[in-house]
Amino acid sequence: MRRMFCLLCMLALAVPAMSAPLSHAARDVFGRLPESIFENTPEGLGGDEKQELLDRGASEFWEVTADAESVFEVTSLPFRDIAVRLHVFHDHDRDEIVAAIGTTGSPVCTLELWKEDVNGRMVPVAPPADPPVEDFFAAAPMVRGQGVKPAVLMCVGAEGLEARAVFWNDAGMLDVRPDNAVRYRWNGRAFEKKITPLRPQSSPAAVLVPAGR
């Protein structure tokens, strides 16, 4: 009987520990995510260096530059030209989170979106559908050149996700300035698209491709 009582006591103590919710602080979520986003950076990041970042705030190639409840960011060393930013969004109806992690600091960004499942595992989820290029302009952009192609990138923004329209041809990326910002703000349950004018626009945006390119 005494042995059975001790066993029940052990089970009672073990259940809360197993069922205790994981921390949703951005730093802790960063620790649970894979390092796959760093494959898009020149420096990369291994598991040991990641742990060093969390323990010391810096490693050979990275430094923690933001550490808040919902945001965690590391910046590359020594030039600080690339950063990886994590933003944690909380579901208002359920004790769940969506984590957006992505690279910043260059015209081409990369993004991963993750969700915590009922077992506390981080599983990848699809981002919102790419907006049409027309969302970025008040009128059709006049892009001159051979083989010009548009693309829409999804990035981590200041308050949610941010879409970015880029144009390029065989010579590289072209300088086309959009009329509108296309952002996706978290409403407590999902991301909602919002289009905001950046400046008055009376004529189509235009870019000239230099001769010989």
Side-chain angles (χ1 to χ4, degrees), residues 194-207:
K194 183 175 183 180
I195 300 175
T196 306
L198 295 174
R199 64 182 185 277
Q201 184 71 23
S202 57
S203 60
V207 59

Side-chain angles (χ1 to χ4, degrees), residues 28-212:
D28 298 324
V29 174
F30 179 83
R32 299 199 297 273
L33 287 174
E35 295 84 42
S36 51
I37 194 69
F38 288 89
E39 296 174 4
N40 301 294
T41 67
E43 295 80 8
L45 183 75
D48 292 342
E49 187 178 8
K50 180 180 182 179
Q51 191 58 51
E52 184 180 9
L53 266 175
L54 293 170
D55 292 341
R56 298 181 52 250
S59 65
E60 182 178 3
F61 297 111
W62 296 94
E63 180 183 37
V64 176
T65 48
D67 188 356
E69 181 65 22
S70 297
V71 175
F72 189 81
E73 182 181 79
V74 297
T75 302
S76 62
L77 297 174
F79 302 112
R80 302 178 183 275
D81 53 341
I82 299 294
V84 172
R85 184 178 182 88
L86 168 68
H87 200 138
V88 177
F89 303 94
H90 295 259
D91 191 312
H92 289 175
D93 295 332
R94 295 170 290 185
D95 189 24
E96 296 180 355
I97 59 168
V98 171
I101 187 168
T103 57
T104 65
S106 68
V108 178
C109 66
T110 56
L111 172 74
E112 292 179 358
L113 213 57
W114 297 82
K115 186 174 182 179
E116 186 181 82
D117 68 12
V118 293
N119 298 313
R121 295 172 300 190
M122 302 301 295
V123 295
V125 294
D130 291 343
V133 173
E134 290 77 12
D135 282 355
F136 296 90
F137 300 98
M142 294 165 31
V143 183
R144 303 175 187 174
Q146 295 295 322
V148 175
K149 301 177 182 178
V152 175
L153 308 176
M154 199 70 75
C155 315
V156 178
E159 299 180 4
L161 309 181
E162 184 170 340
R164 183 177 300 167
V166 295
F167 293 81
W168 81 94
N169 63 5
D170 292 340
M173 189 173 296
L174 307 176
D175 182 17
V176 181
R177 298 183 180 182
D179 302 318
N180 304 322
V182 183
R183 301 185 178 100
Y184 293 78
R185 293 188 177 179
W186 183 254
N187 65 10
R189 298 176 184 85
F191 290 105
E192 289 183 341
K193 182 169 72 172
K194 183 175 183 180
I195 300 175
T196 306
L198 295 174
R199 64 182 185 277
Q201 184 71 23
S202 57
S203 60
V207 59
L208 299 181
V209 181

Side-chain angles (χ1 to χ4, degrees), residues 15-35:
V15 168
M18 290 187 294
S19 61
L22 294 171
S23 168
H24 288 167
R27 159 185 283 272
D28 298 324
V29 174
F30 179 83
R32 299 199 297 273
L33 287 174
E35 295 84 42

